[in-house]
PDB file of all heavy atoms in Angstrom:
ATOM      1  N   VAL Y   1     105.618 137.082 121.868  1.00  0.00           N
ATOM      2  CA  VAL Y   1     106.291 138.251 122.437  1.00  0.00           C
ATOM      3  C   VAL Y   1     106.143 138.259 123.960  1.00  0.00           C
ATOM      4  O   VAL Y   1     107.088 138.589 124.683  1.00  0.00           O
ATOM      5  CB  VAL Y   1     105.737 139.550 121.820  1.00  0.00           C
ATOM      6  CG1 VAL Y   1     106.347 140.769 122.505  1.00  0.00           C
ATOM      7  CG2 VAL Y   1     106.029 139.595 120.323  1.00  0.00           C
ATOM      8  N   LYS Y   2     104.974 137.893 124.450  1.00  0.00           N
ATOM      9  CA  LYS Y   2     104.780 137.856 125.910  1.00  0.00           C
ATOM     10  C   LYS Y   2     105.740 136.866 126.564  1.00  0.00           C
ATOM     11  O   LYS Y   2     106.284 137.140 127.645  1.00  0.00           O
ATOM     12  CB  LYS Y   2     103.333 137.484 126.235  1.00  0.00           C
ATOM     13  CG  LYS Y   2     102.343 138.608 126.031  1.00  0.00           C
ATOM     14  CD  LYS Y   2     100.944 138.161 126.395  1.00  0.00           C
ATOM     15  CE  LYS Y   2      99.936 139.285 126.219  1.00  0.00           C
ATOM     16  NZ  LYS Y   2      98.557 138.848 126.500  1.00  0.00           N
ATOM     17  N   LEU Y   3     105.942 135.733 125.946  1.00  0.00           N
ATOM     18  CA  LEU Y   3     106.882 134.756 126.497  1.00  0.00           C
ATOM     19  C   LEU Y   3     108.298 135.318 126.510  1.00  0.00           C
ATOM     20  O   LEU Y   3     109.058 135.108 127.457  1.00  0.00           O
ATOM     21  CB  LEU Y   3     106.817 133.452 125.699  1.00  0.00           C
ATOM     22  CG  LEU Y   3     105.508 132.662 125.821  1.00  0.00           C
ATOM     23  CD1 LEU Y   3     105.502 131.467 124.875  1.00  0.00           C
ATOM     24  CD2 LEU Y   3     105.292 132.203 127.258  1.00  0.00           C
ATOM     25  N   GLN Y   4     108.648 136.046 125.462  1.00  0.00           N
ATOM     26  CA  GLN Y   4     109.971 136.684 125.422  1.00  0.00           C
ATOM     27  C   GLN Y   4     110.105 137.747 126.500  1.00  0.00           C
ATOM     28  O   GLN Y   4     111.183 137.941 127.074  1.00  0.00           O
ATOM     29  CB  GLN Y   4     110.210 137.303 124.039  1.00  0.00           C
ATOM     30  CG  GLN Y   4     110.360 136.298 122.916  1.00  0.00           C
ATOM     31  CD  GLN Y   4     110.475 136.964 121.554  1.00  0.00           C
ATOM     32  OE1 GLN Y   4     110.374 138.174 121.425  1.00  0.00           O
ATOM     33  NE2 GLN Y   4     110.687 136.158 120.513  1.00  0.00           N
ATOM     34  N   GLN Y   5     109.000 138.442 126.791  1.00  0.00           N
ATOM     35  CA  GLN Y   5     109.027 139.510 127.791  1.00  0.00           C
ATOM     36  C   GLN Y   5     108.645 139.016 129.190  1.00  0.00           C
ATOM     37  O   GLN Y   5     108.513 139.827 130.112  1.00  0.00           O
ATOM     38  CB  GLN Y   5     108.076 140.633 127.363  1.00  0.00           C
ATOM     39  CG  GLN Y   5     108.493 141.340 126.074  1.00  0.00           C
ATOM     40  CD  GLN Y   5     107.568 142.504 125.715  1.00  0.00           C
ATOM     41  OE1 GLN Y   5     106.594 142.787 126.419  1.00  0.00           O
ATOM     42  NE2 GLN Y   5     107.884 143.204 124.638  1.00  0.00           N
ATOM     43  N   LEU Y   6     108.481 137.691 129.337  1.00  0.00           N
ATOM     44  CA  LEU Y   6     108.153 137.067 130.623  1.00  0.00           C
ATOM     45  C   LEU Y   6     106.853 137.632 131.209  1.00  0.00           C
ATOM     46  O   LEU Y   6     106.748 137.945 132.406  1.00  0.00           O
ATOM     47  CB  LEU Y   6     109.303 137.254 131.611  1.00  0.00           C
ATOM     48  CG  LEU Y   6     110.669 136.696 131.171  1.00  0.00           C
ATOM     49  CD1 LEU Y   6     111.723 136.953 132.237  1.00  0.00           C
ATOM     50  CD2 LEU Y   6     110.568 135.216 130.849  1.00  0.00           C
ATOM     51  N   LYS Y   7     105.829 137.751 130.338  1.00  0.00           N
ATOM     52  CA  LYS Y   7     104.522 138.252 130.762  1.00  0.00           C
ATOM     53  C   LYS Y   7     103.469 137.151 130.682  1.00  0.00           C
ATOM     54  O   LYS Y   7     103.599 136.209 129.890  1.00  0.00           O
ATOM     55  CB  LYS Y   7     104.103 139.434 129.881  1.00  0.00           C
ATOM     56  CG  LYS Y   7     104.970 140.665 130.085  1.00  0.00           C
ATOM     57  CD  LYS Y   7     104.598 141.782 129.129  1.00  0.00           C
ATOM     58  CE  LYS Y   7     105.449 143.028 129.397  1.00  0.00           C
ATOM     59  NZ  LYS Y   7     105.204 144.094 128.411  1.00  0.00           N
ATOM     60  N   LYS Y   8     102.436 137.279 131.481  1.00  0.00           N
ATOM     61  CA  LYS Y   8     101.369 136.284 131.510  1.00  0.00           C
ATOM     62  C   LYS Y   8     100.540 136.341 130.227  1.00  0.00           C
ATOM     63  O   LYS Y   8     100.354 137.407 129.638  1.00  0.00           O
ATOM     64  CB  LYS Y   8     100.464 136.532 132.718  1.00  0.00           C
ATOM     65  CG  LYS Y   8     101.117 136.249 134.065  1.00  0.00           C
ATOM     66  CD  LYS Y   8     100.109 136.465 135.193  1.00  0.00           C
ATOM     67  CE  LYS Y   8     100.733 136.157 136.549  1.00  0.00           C
ATOM     68  NZ  LYS Y   8      99.756 136.374 137.653  1.00  0.00           N
ATOM     69  N   LEU Y   9     100.021 135.181 129.860  1.00  0.00           N
ATOM     70  CA  LEU Y   9      99.127 135.116 128.708  1.00  0.00           C
ATOM     71  C   LEU Y   9      97.740 135.590 129.118  1.00  0.00           C
ATOM     72  O   LEU Y   9      97.321 135.416 130.264  1.00  0.00           O
ATOM     73  CB  LEU Y   9      99.062 133.692 128.157  1.00  0.00           C
ATOM     74  CG  LEU Y   9     100.382 133.091 127.664  1.00  0.00           C
ATOM     75  CD1 LEU Y   9     100.149 131.688 127.107  1.00  0.00           C
ATOM     76  CD2 LEU Y   9     101.038 133.975 126.614  1.00  0.00           C
ATOM     77  N   SER Y  10      97.001 136.165 128.176  1.00  0.00           N
ATOM     78  CA  SER Y  10      95.654 136.668 128.437  1.00  0.00           C
ATOM     79  C   SER Y  10      94.615 135.593 128.143  1.00  0.00           C
ATOM     80  O   SER Y  10      94.931 134.494 127.674  1.00  0.00           O
ATOM     81  CB  SER Y  10      95.373 137.890 127.567  1.00  0.00           C
ATOM     82  OG  SER Y  10      95.191 137.493 126.208  1.00  0.00           O
ATOM     83  N   HIS Y  11      93.341 135.938 128.373  1.00  0.00           N
ATOM     84  CA  HIS Y  11      92.238 135.015 128.089  1.00  0.00           C
ATOM     85  C   HIS Y  11      92.204 134.641 126.609  1.00  0.00           C
ATOM     86  O   HIS Y  11      91.934 133.493 126.256  1.00  0.00           O
ATOM     87  CB  HIS Y  11      90.908 135.636 128.506  1.00  0.00           C
ATOM     88  CG  HIS Y  11      90.514 136.852 127.713  1.00  0.00           C
ATOM     89  ND1 HIS Y  11      91.177 138.062 127.806  1.00  0.00           N
ATOM     90  CD2 HIS Y  11      89.528 137.043 126.797  1.00  0.00           C
ATOM     91  CE1 HIS Y  11      90.624 138.936 126.993  1.00  0.00           C
ATOM     92  NE2 HIS Y  11      89.620 138.349 126.363  1.00  0.00           N
ATOM     93  N   LEU Y  12      92.496 135.599 125.740  1.00  0.00           N
ATOM     94  CA  LEU Y  12      92.467 135.315 124.305  1.00  0.00           C
ATOM     95  C   LEU Y  12      93.650 134.441 123.895  1.00  0.00           C
ATOM     96  O   LEU Y  12      93.508 133.545 123.049  1.00  0.00           O
ATOM     97  CB  LEU Y  12      92.469 136.629 123.518  1.00  0.00           C
ATOM     98  CG  LEU Y  12      92.058 136.548 122.051  1.00  0.00           C
ATOM     99  CD1 LEU Y  12      90.633 136.029 121.924  1.00  0.00           C
ATOM    100  CD2 LEU Y  12      92.168 137.912 121.386  1.00  0.00           C
ATOM    101  N   ASP Y  13      94.816 134.676 124.484  1.00  0.00           N
ATOM    102  CA  ASP Y  13      95.985 133.838 124.202  1.00  0.00           C
ATOM    103  C   ASP Y  13      95.697 132.386 124.545  1.00  0.00           C
ATOM    104  O   ASP Y  13      96.037 131.466 123.788  1.00  0.00           O
ATOM    105  CB  ASP Y  13      97.197 134.314 125.014  1.00  0.00           C
ATOM    106  CG  ASP Y  13      97.542 135.773 124.776  1.00  0.00           C
ATOM    107  OD1 ASP Y  13      97.334 136.247 123.655  1.00  0.00           O
ATOM    108  OD2 ASP Y  13      98.021 136.419 125.723  1.00  0.00           O
ATOM    109  N   MET Y  14      95.069 132.176 125.694  1.00  0.00           N
ATOM    110  CA  MET Y  14      94.753 130.817 126.135  1.00  0.00           C
ATOM    111  C   MET Y  14      93.691 130.188 125.232  1.00  0.00           C
ATOM    112  O   MET Y  14      93.774 129.001 124.906  1.00  0.00           O
ATOM    113  CB  MET Y  14      94.271 130.836 127.580  1.00  0.00           C
ATOM    114  CG  MET Y  14      95.296 131.382 128.587  1.00  0.00           C
ATOM    115  SD  MET Y  14      96.857 130.446 128.573  1.00  0.00           S
ATOM    116  CE  MET Y  14      96.300 128.871 129.203  1.00  0.00           C
ATOM    117  N   ALA Y  15      92.712 130.986 124.821  1.00  0.00           N
ATOM    118  CA  ALA Y  15      91.665 130.464 123.944  1.00  0.00           C
ATOM    119  C   ALA Y  15      92.242 129.972 122.621  1.00  0.00           C
ATOM    120  O   ALA Y  15      91.829 128.933 122.090  1.00  0.00           O
ATOM    121  CB  ALA Y  15      90.614 131.542 123.693  1.00  0.00           C
ATOM    122  N   ALA Y  16      93.220 130.719 122.086  1.00  0.00           N
ATOM    123  CA  ALA Y  16      93.808 130.362 120.786  1.00  0.00           C
ATOM    124  C   ALA Y  16      94.576 129.048 120.836  1.00  0.00           C
ATOM    125  O   ALA Y  16      94.811 128.432 119.792  1.00  0.00           O
ATOM    126  CB  ALA Y  16      94.718 131.483 120.301  1.00  0.00           C
ATOM    127  N   LEU Y  17      94.956 128.615 122.031  1.00  0.00           N
ATOM    128  CA  LEU Y  17      95.654 127.332 122.153  1.00  0.00           C
ATOM    129  C   LEU Y  17      94.715 126.156 121.921  1.00  0.00           C
ATOM    130  O   LEU Y  17      95.156 125.064 121.551  1.00  0.00           O
ATOM    131  CB  LEU Y  17      96.286 127.215 123.547  1.00  0.00           C
ATOM    132  CG  LEU Y  17      97.381 128.233 123.882  1.00  0.00           C
ATOM    133  CD1 LEU Y  17      97.828 128.067 125.333  1.00  0.00           C
ATOM    134  CD2 LEU Y  17      98.565 128.076 122.937  1.00  0.00           C
ATOM    135  N   GLY Y  18      93.408 126.378 122.131  1.00  0.00           N
ATOM    136  CA  GLY Y  18      92.462 125.275 122.027  1.00  0.00           C
ATOM    137  C   GLY Y  18      91.436 125.390 120.938  1.00  0.00           C
ATOM    138  O   GLY Y  18      90.685 124.440 120.690  1.00  0.00           O
ATOM    139  N   MET Y  19      91.371 126.528 120.267  1.00  0.00           N
ATOM    140  CA  MET Y  19      90.355 126.703 119.221  1.00  0.00           C
ATOM    141  C   MET Y  19      90.831 127.721 118.191  1.00  0.00           C
ATOM    142  O   MET Y  19      91.630 128.604 118.511  1.00  0.00           O
ATOM    143  CB  MET Y  19      89.026 127.165 119.831  1.00  0.00           C
ATOM    144  CG  MET Y  19      89.101 128.529 120.502  1.00  0.00           C
ATOM    145  SD  MET Y  19      87.543 129.034 121.278  1.00  0.00           S
ATOM    146  CE  MET Y  19      86.552 129.382 119.837  1.00  0.00           C
ATOM    147  N   PRO Y  20      90.360 127.605 116.953  1.00  0.00           N
ATOM    148  CA  PRO Y  20      90.736 128.608 115.945  1.00  0.00           C
ATOM    149  C   PRO Y  20      89.994 129.913 116.190  1.00  0.00           C
ATOM    150  O   PRO Y  20      88.799 129.903 116.506  1.00  0.00           O
ATOM    151  CB  PRO Y  20      90.293 127.954 114.634  1.00  0.00           C
ATOM    152  CG  PRO Y  20      89.162 127.050 115.024  1.00  0.00           C
ATOM    153  CD  PRO Y  20      89.498 126.545 116.398  1.00  0.00           C
ATOM    154  N   LEU Y  21      90.692 131.023 116.058  1.00  0.00           N
ATOM    155  CA  LEU Y  21      90.057 132.329 116.154  1.00  0.00           C
ATOM    156  C   LEU Y  21      89.680 132.867 114.780  1.00  0.00           C
ATOM    157  O   LEU Y  21      88.959 133.852 114.670  1.00  0.00           O
ATOM    158  CB  LEU Y  21      90.993 133.322 116.858  1.00  0.00           C
ATOM    159  CG  LEU Y  21      91.516 132.911 118.232  1.00  0.00           C
ATOM    160  CD1 LEU Y  21      92.364 134.027 118.835  1.00  0.00           C
ATOM    161  CD2 LEU Y  21      90.395 132.519 119.172  1.00  0.00           C
ATOM    162  N   GLY Y  22      90.160 132.197 113.751  1.00  0.00           N
ATOM    163  CA  GLY Y  22      89.879 132.579 112.368  1.00  0.00           C
ATOM    164  C   GLY Y  22      90.901 131.914 111.474  1.00  0.00           C
ATOM    165  O   GLY Y  22      92.096 132.103 111.669  1.00  0.00           O
ATOM    166  N   THR Y  23      90.442 131.120 110.504  1.00  0.00           N
ATOM    167  CA  THR Y  23      91.384 130.367 109.668  1.00  0.00           C
ATOM    168  C   THR Y  23      91.746 131.090 108.380  1.00  0.00           C
ATOM    169  O   THR Y  23      92.641 130.658 107.661  1.00  0.00           O
ATOM    170  CB  THR Y  23      90.821 128.974 109.323  1.00  0.00           C
ATOM    171  OG1 THR Y  23      89.605 129.113 108.588  1.00  0.00           O
ATOM    172  CG2 THR Y  23      90.545 128.172 110.593  1.00  0.00           C
ATOM    173  N   THR Y  24      91.041 132.172 108.075  1.00  0.00           N
ATOM    174  CA  THR Y  24      91.385 133.028 106.937  1.00  0.00           C
ATOM    175  C   THR Y  24      91.324 134.471 107.398  1.00  0.00           C
ATOM    176  O   THR Y  24      90.376 134.859 108.084  1.00  0.00           O
ATOM    177  CB  THR Y  24      90.401 132.836 105.765  1.00  0.00           C
ATOM    178  OG1 THR Y  24      90.451 131.495 105.316  1.00  0.00           O
ATOM    179  CG2 THR Y  24      90.757 133.758 104.602  1.00  0.00           C
ATOM    180  N   HIS Y  25      92.316 135.269 107.053  1.00  0.00           N
ATOM    181  CA  HIS Y  25      92.278 136.678 107.409  1.00  0.00           C
ATOM    182  C   HIS Y  25      91.014 137.317 106.833  1.00  0.00           C
ATOM    183  O   HIS Y  25      90.651 137.086 105.679  1.00  0.00           O
ATOM    184  CB  HIS Y  25      93.510 137.396 106.882  1.00  0.00           C
ATOM    185  CG  HIS Y  25      94.778 136.963 107.554  1.00  0.00           C
ATOM    186  ND1 HIS Y  25      96.012 137.409 107.169  1.00  0.00           N
ATOM    187  CD2 HIS Y  25      94.993 136.133 108.614  1.00  0.00           C
ATOM    188  CE1 HIS Y  25      96.948 136.876 107.951  1.00  0.00           C
ATOM    189  NE2 HIS Y  25      96.348 136.098 108.822  1.00  0.00           N
ATOM    190  N   GLY Y  26      90.356 138.107 107.660  1.00  0.00           N
ATOM    191  CA  GLY Y  26      89.096 138.715 107.261  1.00  0.00           C
ATOM    192  C   GLY Y  26      87.888 137.995 107.813  1.00  0.00           C
ATOM    193  O   GLY Y  26      86.762 138.482 107.686  1.00  0.00           O
ATOM    194  N   THR Y  27      88.094 136.828 108.416  1.00  0.00           N
ATOM    195  CA  THR Y  27      87.003 136.081 109.030  1.00  0.00           C
ATOM    196  C   THR Y  27      87.383 135.728 110.462  1.00  0.00           C
ATOM    197  O   THR Y  27      88.555 135.724 110.826  1.00  0.00           O
ATOM    198  CB  THR Y  27      86.697 134.777 108.269  1.00  0.00           C
ATOM    199  OG1 THR Y  27      87.826 133.896 108.352  1.00  0.00           O
ATOM    200  CG2 THR Y  27      86.386 135.050 106.807  1.00  0.00           C
ATOM    201  N   THR Y  28      86.367 135.439 111.276  1.00  0.00           N
ATOM    202  CA  THR Y  28      86.616 134.980 112.641  1.00  0.00           C
ATOM    203  C   THR Y  28      85.633 133.870 112.997  1.00  0.00           C
ATOM    204  O   THR Y  28      84.593 133.700 112.352  1.00  0.00           O
ATOM    205  CB  THR Y  28      86.442 136.112 113.678  1.00  0.00           C
ATOM    206  OG1 THR Y  28      85.061 136.505 113.728  1.00  0.00           O
ATOM    207  CG2 THR Y  28      87.317 137.313 113.353  1.00  0.00           C
TER     208      THR Y  28
END
């Protein structure tokens, strides 16, 4: 959505590009 709205990515957005934030819903 940020890319569609031409907004910068956050620290968490960038982190998700290089590491899993949680591979099953309910876990992190």
Side-chain angles (χ1 to χ4, degrees):
V1 175
K2 284 181 179 177
L3 292 174
Q4 292 175 356
Q5 295 183 359
L6 302 180
K7 292 176 178 175
K8 291 183 179 180
L9 300 182
S10 72
H11 66 291
L12 196 61
D13 304 327
M14 299 302 293
L17 296 175
M19 63 182 288
L21 305 183
T23 61
T24 299
H25 293 175
T27 65
T28 67

